Every structure is written in structure tokens, then in C-alpha cells.
Amino acid sequence: QVQLVESGGGVVQPGRSLRLSCAASGFTFSSYAMHWVRQAPGKGLEWVAVISYDGSNKYYADSVKGRFTISRDNSKNTLYLQMNSLRAEDTAVYYCARGPHATGTTYGDAFDIWGQGTMVTVSS
Amino acid sequence: SYELTQPPSVSVSPGQTARITCSGDALPKQYAYWYQQKPGQAPVLVIYKDSERPSGIPERFSGSSSGTTVTLTISGVQAEDEADYYCQSADSSGTVVFGGGTKLTVL
């Protein structure tokens, strides 16, 4: 079945780095844009970054620009989020989510499939 | 920065109709999407392109749009519909934006 599974979360000190992974299965990963979305404890959803189906285009929220890098390995069906210079305010559950197909999709720009999330805690 | 505004909470009794609004200046030009999130779970898409319903989503969920406001309507609310609901759209440059979320309480 169509599935996204995040990993790599944990507890990290401020200023350090962490890399998240999102393993995709059940669909043609290389044909879809992919997003990272985060949710701080007790708070709402915040979009973090998007990468095009082939990795040629990447966009970031202002809150993470210059510190986070989104990437993908289509040969491994895996999405990544490299997080550097982490701050306490980056503490959140991080979700990967599927975006639109490269040739357009019924769902428009919706996030139609989500992973279960991985928790990142930035604390000394 | 662009914002989508939702009421923090909505309460309804079982069987009644719940309406959750989402307001934003770019909504006349950008589609809106709605997600349901239950505690400890990932969000689930319930409405796309303002008013379309994905397969598997009950017919009691519907969406509409009027000017700068989109509305998620849940007709005949059931206890299992108690959750947080988020609207999502984009600003004029295409940057993704989420509303602050609405907690639906079924009394």
C-alpha cells in the first residue's frame, strides 16, 4: 500500500544538526513532489519545505531558510531533511507528505499522503 | 506574511451541522484544501480544490468557497468527527500556508 515512513528524529542540543529521512513505498516516488511539514507540541501545522519530483526545484519557509536543506534520492525512494543550527523553536513532529504528480494530479496541490511523523526535540 | 484565519473552536451536538471557515485574501485565486487531524495521528485530506471529496471520505463532509472565505461543512456530525481541522492554500507566489486550525468538539 501507499506509505511514507519517517525516521531520524531524536533529542539534539541547540546549534547541532540532525538529518531526517522519509521512506516511500507503494507508488512511483520519482514522479511526485514531496514536502516536509512540522507541528510543534500543542500547535498547528507549519509547512517547512518542498522539492520537485526530480529534485531540481526546492523552496523553504522563511523560518528555516539557510538552515535546512531538503533533498531526495529517487533510486532509494527516500526524501531527506538536513537540519543545521537547530533552535529550541524547531522542536516539533516532522511529517513528510506527498505533493502533486509531475504531470498534474486529481488532488491539485493537496498533500494526499502523510507519514506518521518523527519527533525532534531541541534542548540542552 | 500571508495568513489563513480560522476560528479556534467550533462546538456542535451530534446530528447537527458544523461549519468551519477559513479566510484569506488570496483564496479567490488559490484553491483551498482541508485536513482532519485526530490526537496522535497524522492529518488526513478531507476536501481538495475547495469542494471536492477524496474517495473514502464520508459524504457528510463538503466544502464551498465564496470570495475570500472557504467553508468546511460537516452535516450530521458524528462523535468520530471530533478532531482538529486545518485549511491549507498558497499565497500569490505559491508558498504553502496552513490556517491555525479549528478544534471541533462534539457535545
Side-chain angles (χ1 to χ4, degrees):
Chain A
Q1 72 279 24
V2 176
Q3 195 173 10
L4 297 171
V5 178
E6 301 93 337
S7 61
V11 180
V12 61
Q13 293 179 329
R16 304 297 292 264
S17 299
L18 202 62
R19 189 178 83 157
L20 306 182
S21 299
C22 169
S25 59
F27 65 99
T28 306
F29 178 73
S30 59
S31 295
Y32 288 84
M34 295 294 297
H35 296 261
W36 287 100
V37 176
R38 68 184 181 182
Q39 186 170 36
K43 302 298 184 181
L45 301 173
E46 180 188 13
W47 175 77
V48 173
V50 61
I51 186 168
S52 59
Y53 70 100
D54 61 358
S56 61
N57 293 295
K58 306 172 185 181
Y59 300 95
Y60 301 90
D62 288 343
S63 58
V64 306
K65 200 173 296 182
R67 300 187 300 122
F68 290 12
T69 301
I70 189 172
S71 63
R72 65 191 300 161
D73 186 337
N74 285 343
S75 68
K76 295 182 178 179
N77 292 337
T78 303
L79 175 73
Y80 302 100
L81 185 67
Q82 177 67 42
M83 303 185 295
N84 298 333
S85 303
L86 282 162
R87 306 166 180 169
E89 54 263 37
D90 296 319
T91 295
V93 174
Y94 285 74
Y95 296 99
C96 61
R98 191 175 77 171
H101 189 278
T103 60
T105 181
T106 300
Y107 298 129
D109 292 331
F111 302 170
D112 65 334
I113 303 295
W114 295 65
Q116 86 289 348
T118 187
M119 182 71 202
V120 172
T121 302
V122 183
S123 174
S124 56
Chain B
S1 60
Y2 182 56
E3 293 183 352
L4 295 174
T5 301
Q6 298 181 233
S9 63
V10 169
S11 299
V12 295
S13 299
Q16 290 190 328
T17 297
R19 294 181 178 84
I20 300 172
T21 58
C22 172
S23 299
D25 290 341
L27 288 175
K29 298 182 179 180
Q30 297 280 2
Y31 281 125
Y33 306 86
W34 289 95
Y35 302 88
Q36 176 194 67
Q37 186 181 35
K38 295 182 178 180
Q41 298 183 18
V44 172
L45 178 68
V46 294
I47 294 290
Y48 65 96
K49 291 184 179 179
D50 293 346
S51 59
E52 301 295 321
R53 191 175 55 251
S55 60
I57 300 301
E59 292 184 3
R60 63 180 181 273
F61 288 86
S62 64
S64 62
S65 176
S66 179
T68 58
T69 299
V70 293
T71 302
L72 172 68
T73 301
I74 310 172
S75 304
V77 166
Q78 301 182 6
E80 67 198 52
D81 299 329
E82 186 162 286
D84 293 327
Y85 291 85
Y86 295 91
C87 62
Q88 174 241 315
S89 187
D91 65 16
S92 56
S93 66
T95 300
V96 174
V97 179
F98 285 98
T102 298
K103 180 177 180 59
L104 175 66
T105 300
V106 181
L107 301 170

